Amino acid sequence: MIRRPFAIVRGVPDSFAHAVTDSEPDPPLSVELAREQHGSYVAALEAGGYALVHVEPDESHPDCVFVEDTAVVLGEHVVVTRPGHESRRGEVDAVAARMPGSARIHRVQPPATIDGGDVLIAGTRVFVGLSRRTNRQGAQAIAAIAEPQGMTVTPIEVRSVLHLKSGLSAVDDRTVLWHPRTCGRGELTGLRVVEIPGDDPEAANVVRLADGRMLVGEHHPHTAEIVESLGFEVVEVDVSEIARADGGLTCLSIRAR
Ligand code: CIR
């Protein structure tokens, strides 16, 4: 029996050094440092009130630590994704197997592709990024599960980042942090949109802890200030090595309240 709120996390495999990246990391990715940072992240989730569910790392999947991309929890339903990058498709089964027994599992069928990093949930609003990884059929697959539960699904074009959540995340049910390189602001209708300045869209990627505090990347001091000014207590964690593999804070867990 898995109690809510829970967070599913997956360890860093030795093969992480060969993770998919937009540009060749120089120096090469450090597995040791990524593991250390991942450990701090997981500890922060637990201290923030999430019951942890651990999935064993899989050496044949260098990106398996980015567990967010493999499943989307929508109420009692779970959409097991079909990741957009072929090398990542085999990550999903081990994660699906760790979902609560009561969950209603749905599997995305070809030609749909979805990375969980493209699905932002804010209250009853669900935004699905159309990106290099998630296509329209993927957005429809999410809508087919979310809409009957009273949620509104809005597909949204992703600009120059990997995933929608690379530069957009929710701090509460109606407030999002947004970086302009991520998507159009006008498409986030009905939400309070807080712009995050600077060159790095990942500065807008934060995680809500179960106790209401906010997890913010240590290398984004402006974000911490902005989130504090919104009235939240901030917990900082260093995920710089994870960022070098094109990941942010949200991508390291699947969280359900
Ligand atoms: C990838 O390219 O798939 C991984 N190296 C990074 C995935 C990051 N996931 C996320 O932001 N949800």
Side-chain angles (χ1 to χ4, degrees):
M1 176 80 178
I2 299 174
R3 72 173 165 84
R4 285 189 183 229
F6 68 81
I8 299 178
V9 292
R10 192 166 196 178
V12 179
D14 289 338
S15 58
F16 175 75
H18 307 291
V20 177
T21 49
D22 259 357
S23 50
E24 189 70 22
D26 179 22
L29 292 168
S30 161
V31 176
E32 194 186 350
L33 182 54
R35 259 185 204 139
E36 189 184 310
Q37 293 181 351
H38 185 254
S40 306
Y41 172 89
V42 171
L45 287 185
E46 190 168 35
Y50 285 109
L52 296 176
V53 179
H54 291 273
V55 181
E56 280 296 305
D58 175 355
E59 287 303 334
S60 62
H61 290 98
D63 287 286
C64 67
V65 69
F66 301 114
V67 69
E68 170 180 62
D69 293 319
T70 62
V72 178
V73 178
L74 293 163
E76 297 306 316
H77 297 253
V78 173
V79 178
V80 176
T81 67
R82 183 166 177 269
H85 198 285
E86 220 173 318
S87 73
R88 301 200 54 196
R89 300 228 169 113
E91 293 175 25
V92 303
D93 289 337
V95 179
R98 297 305 313 276
M99 287 293 169
S102 58
R104 297 184 57 189
I105 306 277
H106 307 266
R107 291 201 175 244
V108 172
Q109 301 301 326
T113 59
I114 307 178
D115 278 13
D118 278 317
V119 184
L120 174 75
I121 302 170
T124 57
R125 305 290 305 280
V126 181
F127 295 89
V128 183
L130 302 174
S131 70
R132 279 180 273 162
R133 300 288 177 87
T134 299
N135 61 19
R136 284 211 176 262
Q137 292 95 330
Q140 283 159 5
I142 294 289
I145 306 305
E147 286 178 350
Q149 300 185 69
M151 305 176 103
T152 307
V153 177
T154 309
I156 186 164
E157 294 288 342
V158 173
R159 291 179 171 164
S160 56
V161 292
L162 179 61
H163 290 124
L164 183 66
K165 280 191 285 187
S166 301
L168 181 74
S169 60
V171 292
D172 61 28
D173 285 353
R174 55 170 300 272
T175 310
V176 291
L177 304 187
W178 166 79
H179 189 282
R181 281 204 355 232
T182 308
C183 62
R185 181 182 192 137
E187 296 169 73
L188 302 167
T189 48
L191 295 177
R192 176 164 67 142
V193 178
V194 179
E195 180 168 344
I196 298 295
D199 295 336
D200 187 358
E202 284 284 352
N205 180 276
V206 299
V207 162
R208 284 163 83 173
L209 294 172
D211 61 11
R213 293 180 298 158
M214 298 297 307
L215 202 52
V216 175
E218 200 174 275
H219 49 303
H220 299 304
H222 294 310
T223 307
E225 273 170 38
I226 291 169
V227 171
E228 274 166 2
S229 75
L230 294 171
F232 295 95
E233 193 181 324
V234 165
V235 178
E236 288 182 302
V237 65
D238 182 5
V239 286
S240 50
E241 199 63 9
I242 302 290
R244 294 208 309 124
D246 300 342
L249 288 168
T250 60
C251 61
L252 296 176
S253 58
I254 300 167
R255 299 161 308 281
R257 290 155 177 273

